[in-house]
Amino acid sequence: MLEQIEDVIEAKARMKMKAAERAIELVEPGMTVGLGSGSTASMWIRLLGERVRDRGLQITAVASSEDTERLGRSYGIPFVAIGKCDRIDLTVDGADEIAPRLALIKGGGGNLLREKIVASASKLFVVVADSSKVVNKLGKFPLPVEVIPMAASLVSCALEELGFTTKLRHRPDGSIYVTDQQNHLLDCTGVTIEDPYQMVSEINAIVGVVEHGIFLDMVNFALIASEDGLIERRV
Ligand code: 5RP
């Protein structure tokens, strides 16, 4: 049983690397590059870091999370703060679910707000993922909703009126998870999202919501790797 689980994890890691390797070909010298968060994006960041450190590739990076910035800096990648950035040429990031029309759920790692800011400002936004992320409808993966801490309980009630079961995210040590922006996260389950546009407008109407993990009309293309190969999916 343990061996089977290890095999699945290894197979997924191979697929993620396949997508990351293809996405690294998109980087050109002089670009300002948005760095996503999560394990697949991290593989891509390591490949990018090797090119910066060992081959003198000149780029500037913008980080979608503090973890990502730490990883990038460990390779000597130069960063510009989001607040000082005036253009992003390319962003590569992972996803938790990829539905038709390249609608996404993101934020499993807790970084959805910055990820969305970086993605939405990018001329080219590319998703890298293994094929297990592809779904027909969003909603099986818990949808993260970032909330102002004092509003968490009220926002939770409002989300439950939409049919969700909500759970305040905690860290493994039992403390409440605090995002890079000092907010809290509600992980929402129990709703198959039939119409993501409608859901977005309903969630955005709840005061106290800072951002949610549904990404619509942002992705230029997704690089999705399976054991059989790699496909480039466009809308
Ligand atoms: C983090 C994210 C990640 O991109 C998403 O969770 C996918 O992660 P992984 O590549 O590890 O499966 O949105 O907030």
Side-chain angles (χ1 to χ4, degrees):
M1 181 67 174
L2 192 62
E3 255 176 41
Q4 279 168 336
I5 295 171
E6 278 170 1
D7 285 350
V8 171
I9 293 171
E10 269 177 33
K12 275 196 184 176
R14 276 197 305 276
M15 290 186 247
K16 289 174 181 188
M17 183 52 92
K18 220 188 281 183
E21 283 171 345
R22 174 65 68 86
I24 202 69
E25 295 167 14
L26 302 167
V27 182
E28 291 173 14
M31 277 183 163
T32 298
V33 181
L35 309 190
S37 301
S39 59
T40 321
S42 293
M43 288 182 184
W44 180 77
I45 294 164
R46 288 193 181 92
L47 295 174
L48 183 66
E50 285 165 10
R51 278 158 181 74
V52 169
R53 187 191 58 197
D54 305 335
R55 302 193 207 167
L57 173 67
Q58 302 275 336
I59 50 129
T60 305
V62 185
S64 66
S65 66
E66 289 175 9
D67 285 344
T68 285
E69 182 158 346
R70 263 191 296 278
L71 176 62
R73 284 197 189 281
S74 72
Y75 285 88
I77 295 177
F79 281 87
V80 59
I82 289 194
K84 298 243 165 76
C85 182
D86 55 10
R87 80 164 214 272
I88 304 173
D89 298 301
L90 162 72
T91 291
V92 174
D93 202 348
D96 298 302
E97 283 188 342
I98 306 171
R101 296 183 55 82
L102 298 181
L104 309 178
I105 285 183
K106 283 187 53 53
N111 313 114
L112 63 109
L113 174 57
R114 263 207 234 180
E115 287 176 340
K116 202 179 265 191
I117 293 170
V118 170
S120 66
S122 299
K123 285 186 201 150
L124 192 65
F125 176 42
V126 177
V127 166
V128 280
D130 66 86
S131 54
S132 70
K133 305 295 181 69
V134 177
V135 295
N136 286 328
K137 287 176 185 170
L138 298 177
K140 201 158 184 199
F141 189 90
L143 170 66
V145 177
E146 183 158 347
V147 295
I148 296 282
M150 71 170 175
S153 170
L154 290 170
V155 171
S156 165
C157 293
L159 288 165
E160 289 186 3
E161 273 174 31
L162 296 180
F164 288 109
T165 299
T166 65
K167 201 166 166 210
L168 186 64
R169 193 179 296 189
H170 285 74
R171 293 196 178 276
D173 68 4
S175 61
I176 293 177
Y177 183 93
V178 178
T179 68
D180 287 347
Q181 295 69 229
Q182 309 304 309
N183 294 315
H184 291 172
L185 285 178
L186 293 168
D187 286 309
C188 304
T189 52
V191 174
T192 301
I193 302 174
E194 303 287 344
D195 181 345
Y197 293 88
Q198 175 68 21
M199 183 56 78
V200 161
S201 76
E202 286 178 332
I203 296 174
N204 283 341
I206 303 170
V207 178
V209 167
V210 178
E211 196 44 86
H212 54 78
I214 301 177
F215 285 46
L216 300 177
D217 301 321
M218 285 188 194
V219 184
N220 292 86
F221 59 91
L223 295 168
I224 299 169
S226 65
E227 294 280 32
D228 301 332
L230 184 86
I231 58 158
E232 187 176 305
R233 180 175 288 190
R234 293 181 183 262
V235 175

